[in-house]
Amino acid sequence: MRNCNNLLSISLGAAVVLHQTGAFVLPQRATLTHGSHSSESLRPNTKFYNSDTDDDSSSDLIPSDTDSDPQPPAVESNDDEIASHLKSKLYQLAASYDRGFAATPKARTEANEIIEQLAAVNPTENAARGIDGNDFSDDVPLKAIWRMVWTSAFDVVSLGASPIAAPSAIYQVITDPPIATNIIDFIPRAQSFFPSSSVPSSLLRAEVTTRASSRRGAADRVGLAFEGVKLQPIELLGQKVDNLPPLSVDLTWQQGLIDQVASFVPGLENLSSEGKDDADAPGYFDIEYVDDELLIICQQALPQQAQGGRFALVKVDNYDP
């Protein structure tokens, strides 16, 4: 114990001498600049030096107000981040309102606002390129299998009002341009009310075949000409019936007949296939947004409509029922 007391006394005495001679510098507070987080600026100066020496290098040990790391640049959200956020909001709306079949006016307005914002950051220019099928390259933005996740189109939304059949999956298949096939799967309305394990499954598939084409002067517009309709039973009370012959209607002969008599019958010239590639010719949709995940199109507005119905579709691997 006596040795410890002696050691303590000697230490206190040495500290007093060092303080009186100015040989010990107390820790100095580092000056922080805005945006600087380096460890050097936070570390106090606890170095010893001899105040009687003429070496100016000791001044380097004292932090300077001008010694600070440069402020990092502000991080700005890019278009990809904006699009990702908007797509997430659109998917949430689609899930909450049954793809638009149960949408309220407020939900439709919100979806339209999201789509308009997505259109502003559309990453694809000349989105209709290659749709004519003349270009054998793979640079065709629409070439894929697309499944609908949202719509405001009345002709599709009204399908949900049927008390007999309910629309199931809806696809737009553009794997072999210029052919574009719209597929709608129907199930019995009662089937949607019960668990799949308690009700035998039935499914009827409707296919509408169209021929797509680009429009002069409109790089994001695709014209459509209907070529046929087919109804194919897929499943009946849990049994596969896709080997049954489909009910098909060929619509191409009508267009051929119209083309033949259009020049002789007044009023039919507007229905002729000539001039169908004009930008404002009837039967088209506009591409508002497309990337490797999502496609948003707006169909031609009818005369009584201010705006055509919108469709949002996601890319999928197949359209198996």
Side-chain angles (χ1 to χ4, degrees):
M1 180 66 69
R2 181 176 301 174
N3 292 335
C4 292
N5 292 334
N6 291 338
L7 182 59
L8 179 60
S9 300
I10 293 172
S11 299
L12 291 174
V16 172
V17 172
L18 290 173
H19 177 66
Q20 292 176 351
T21 59
F24 182 73
V25 178
L26 295 176
Q28 301 200 16
R29 189 174 184 178
T31 302
L32 296 178
T33 60
H34 180 68
S36 175
H37 301 285
S38 68
S39 59
E40 293 297 331
S41 62
L42 298 176
R43 186 182 299 119
N45 185 356
T46 56
K47 292 187 178 294
F48 290 87
Y49 72 96
N50 189 347
S51 61
D52 295 335
T53 62
D54 295 333
D55 189 0
D56 292 336
S57 61
S58 60
S59 62
D60 296 337
L61 302 176
I62 302 176
S64 169
D65 291 341
T66 60
D67 294 339
S68 61
D69 295 335
Q71 184 176 357
V75 178
E76 298 181 357
S77 297
N78 55 35
D79 288 350
D80 290 341
E81 294 173 342
I82 295 174
S84 178
H85 175 67
L86 292 172
K87 286 190 285 187
S88 177
K89 292 176 63 176
L90 183 60
Y91 296 155
Q92 291 174 10
L93 273 178
S96 299
Y97 294 96
D98 189 17
R99 300 173 295 171
F101 289 105
T104 62
K106 180 180 178 182
R108 292 193 185 97
T109 299
E110 185 176 353
N112 284 335
E113 292 175 352
I114 294 173
I115 290 173
E116 289 170 2
Q117 294 177 61
L118 277 168
V121 294
N122 182 18
T124 307
E125 297 181 355
N126 189 15
R129 64 181 182 271
I131 195 64
D132 296 290
N134 300 328
D135 189 357
F136 295 100
S137 69
D138 291 331
D139 186 22
V140 184
L142 297 188
K143 187 176 181 179
I145 301 171
W146 305 94
R147 183 171 62 207
M148 192 195 79
V149 295
W150 174 267
T151 186
S152 60
F154 177 77
D155 55 343
V156 176
V157 172
S158 60
L159 296 176
S162 170
I164 300 174
S168 184
I170 299 176
Y171 302 90
Q172 187 171 58
V173 181
I174 313 177
T175 54
D176 187 22
I179 301 302
T181 304
N182 298 324
I183 296 176
I184 304 178
D185 289 337
F186 292 96
I187 62 174
R189 174 65 67 180
Q191 183 176 311
S192 62
F193 296 151
F194 301 97
S196 58
S197 58
S198 61
V199 178
S201 176
S202 298
L203 189 145
L204 175 68
R205 168 162 287 186
E207 298 183 8
V208 180
T209 303
T210 63
R211 182 171 295 272
S213 61
S214 58
R215 292 294 177 88
R216 287 196 302 260
D220 297 324
R221 180 165 292 181
V222 175
L224 294 175
F226 292 95
E227 294 196 340
V229 178
K230 182 174 71 173
L231 295 177
Q232 175 66 63
I234 302 297
E235 198 172 15
L236 179 62
L237 298 178
Q239 302 296 319
K240 290 290 185 180
V241 292
D242 53 355
N243 57 342
L244 294 177
L247 174 62
S248 301
V249 178
D250 184 9
L251 302 178
T252 57
W253 68 270
Q254 298 177 358
Q255 187 62 55
L257 179 61
I258 291 174
D259 290 342
Q260 292 179 15
V261 301
S263 58
F264 304 102
V265 180
L268 291 182
E269 60 273 4
N270 293 331
L271 299 178
S272 174
S273 59
E274 295 183 4
K276 288 292 186 180
D277 57 348
D278 293 340
D280 295 326
Y284 64 81
F285 64 79
D286 290 319
I287 305 165
E288 297 189 297
Y289 183 93
V290 61
D291 60 13
D292 58 358
E293 172 191 350
L294 177 67
L295 168 65
I296 299 177
I297 60 177
C298 182
Q299 68 182 11
Q300 177 187 7
L302 298 176
Q304 66 272 20
Q305 294 178 324
Q307 184 184 56
R310 280 172 162 148
F311 294 82
L313 309 99
V314 295
K315 185 180 291 187
V316 294
D317 295 331
N318 60 73
Y319 52 97
D320 296 337

